[in-house]
Amino acid sequence: MASLLSIHTLAPLTPKAFLRIKSVNNQRVGKPVSVLSRASAMGVQYQLKEGQSRVFHVLPSGLNMEVIIQKSTRNDPNEDKSENPPLVFVHGSFHAAWCWAEHWLSFFSQHGYDCYAVSLLAQGESDSPAGKVAGSLQTHANDIADFIQKEVRLSPVLIGHSFGGLIVQSYLSDMRTEHSSGRDNLLPRLAGAVLICSVPPSGNGGLVWRYLLSKPIAAFKVTLSLAAKAFSTSLPLCKETFFSPEMEDHLVRRYQELMKESSRLPLFDLRKLNASLPVPSIPRSTLQVLVLGASDDFIVDDEGLNETARFYGVPPVCVKGVAHDMMLDCSWGKGADMILSWLNSLNKQNSM
């Protein structure tokens, strides 16, 4: 889930391309698959919190995609919950739906939002496709679209982190192309999008070279951590890559174990990915987009954040005192508060 260099997949360390970088309730989502009827894909299982459920959405391919759900718990009779758009969360490399379930699903559900966190194929408890990679930007976006179209009643806000942010960007571009071309609605419309510590629309190439030229030691560490997956064996490196220095070691160790088990295949073939970038632009004002970064992000630098913001014609928002894994970091509430404020503003605009 990492990004930029996060990006799950850095290729060989060469000067040219340094980083080619479960219970189930009776809620229906696709075709629920009982957890007891299938072996766990992860050696370290994530235990759901109160109010959460795990279901498996059956994709057109027949593969099962894990979805962790937490519905709104706000019960104010004077407030119409239906006005709040559902939230669909998309993780990045080395992560899965559990990363959102730890804090943010509960937080946003308590504020009146139905929440759905997906695990992309070959990640978390989702099935794995045949082949050496989990998919492409388009196949991942199509899987998310299939879930939204069949199981989410209202147009949602799509929230992506790190490489998940690039998948969301692909979704935005494909959604625009299909609607403008008069084709059948393959990608459902969205109420908005949030890009968190996202890989920029041009990919991670610029990030890589900036690190190589200005922060060679940091570049080496990121490559070692992500490309060589050293984060999975080194607690200090895992902390430096994803979390704030203040993060307690026992929490880092817990997340480290989950991350080690979360990704059975790389999200993409990076060479093919880079050949398909940048993602096509979309007209400004077509959709409300929040571009959110972290001041202590070890993976996505300020220029990467600014590039994404410029692409969508919005001001970047940088959360101070938070690291790359904003939803898991010890100050996770800072990013959650920022997004909630934006969501509330979005709701007001949409109700006018």
Side-chain angles (χ1 to χ4, degrees), residues 1-10 19 21 89-96 99-100 104 120 137 140 144 158-171 194-204 207 211 222 226 241-242 259 267-268 270 273 277 279 290-294 297-301 304-305 308 312 323-328 339:
M1 159 181 241
S3 167
L4 158 100
L5 307 162
S6 124
I7 311 185
H8 187 180
T9 11
L10 318 180
L19 294 179
I21 357 165
F89 297 86
V90 185
H91 64 84
S93 298
F94 305 119
H95 293 60
C99 73
W100 306 104
W104 281 18
L120 300 169
L137 281 178
H140 288 310
I144 295 166
L158 196 54
I159 302 175
H161 174 253
S162 197
F163 250 137
L166 192 59
I167 294 171
V168 171
Q169 293 179 57
S170 177
Y171 187 111
V194 181
L195 306 174
I196 305 168
C197 300
S198 177
V199 176
S202 64
N204 62 347
L207 295 170
Y211 270 69
V222 172
L226 301 174
T241 304
F242 300 108
M259 284 189 275
L267 284 181
F268 316 101
L270 283 186
L273 172 65
L277 297 174
V279 296
L290 171 63
V291 177
L292 196 63
D297 196 333
F298 190 65
I299 295 174
V300 179
D301 62 4
L305 174 65
T308 304
Y312 291 100
H324 184 71
D325 269 19
M326 191 181 294
M327 76 292 289
L328 291 172
I339 296 173

Side-chain angles (χ1 to χ4, degrees), residues 103-104 242-248 251 255 294-296 319-323 325-338:
H103 301 297
W104 281 18
F242 300 108
F243 307 109
S244 296
E246 299 79 17
M247 190 82 161
E248 296 181 33
L251 290 175
Y255 299 145
S295 66
D296 302 333
V319 184
K320 302 298 181 183
V322 184
D325 269 19
M326 191 181 294
M327 76 292 289
L328 291 172
D329 205 33
C330 49
S331 296
W332 63 266
K334 292 182 179 180
D337 285 337
M338 194 73 72

Side-chain angles (χ1 to χ4, degrees), residues 89-121:
F89 297 86
V90 185
H91 64 84
S93 298
F94 305 119
H95 293 60
W98 62 264
C99 73
W100 306 104
E102 186 73 353
H103 301 297
W104 281 18
L105 295 195
S106 297
F107 175 87
F108 288 107
S109 70
Q110 290 168 7
H111 285 87
Y113 293 87
D114 290 343
C115 299
Y116 306 84
V118 303
S119 288
L120 300 169
L121 290 182

Side-chain angles (χ1 to χ4, degrees), residues 8 29 37 80 82 87 124 135 144 147 156 161 176 189 193 197 243 260 283 320 334 339:
H8 187 180
V29 171
S37 69
D80 184 3
S82 65
L87 309 181
I144 295 166
F147 170 72
H161 174 253
R176 174 208 173 224
R189 289 193 179 276
C197 300
F243 307 109
K260 282 195 291 186
K320 302 298 181 183
K334 292 182 179 180
I339 296 173

Side-chain angles (χ1 to χ4, degrees), residues 6 22 24 28 31 41 79 81 102 144 150 152 167 182 192-193 213 222 256 260 289 294 296 300 307 342 344:
S6 124
K22 203 184 293 223
V24 172
R28 178 185 173 276
K31 176 184 176 185
E79 184 168 345
K81 291 189 302 182
E102 186 73 353
I144 295 166
K150 295 176 181 176
V152 182
I167 294 171
L213 296 174
V222 172
Q256 180 186 42
K260 282 195 291 186
V289 179
D296 302 333
V300 179
E307 178 194 331
W342 181 84
N344 290 338

Side-chain angles (χ1 to χ4, degrees), residues 304-319:
L305 174 65
N306 292 331
E307 178 194 331
T308 304
R310 287 194 302 269
F311 189 81
Y312 291 100
V314 298
V317 177
C318 187
V319 184

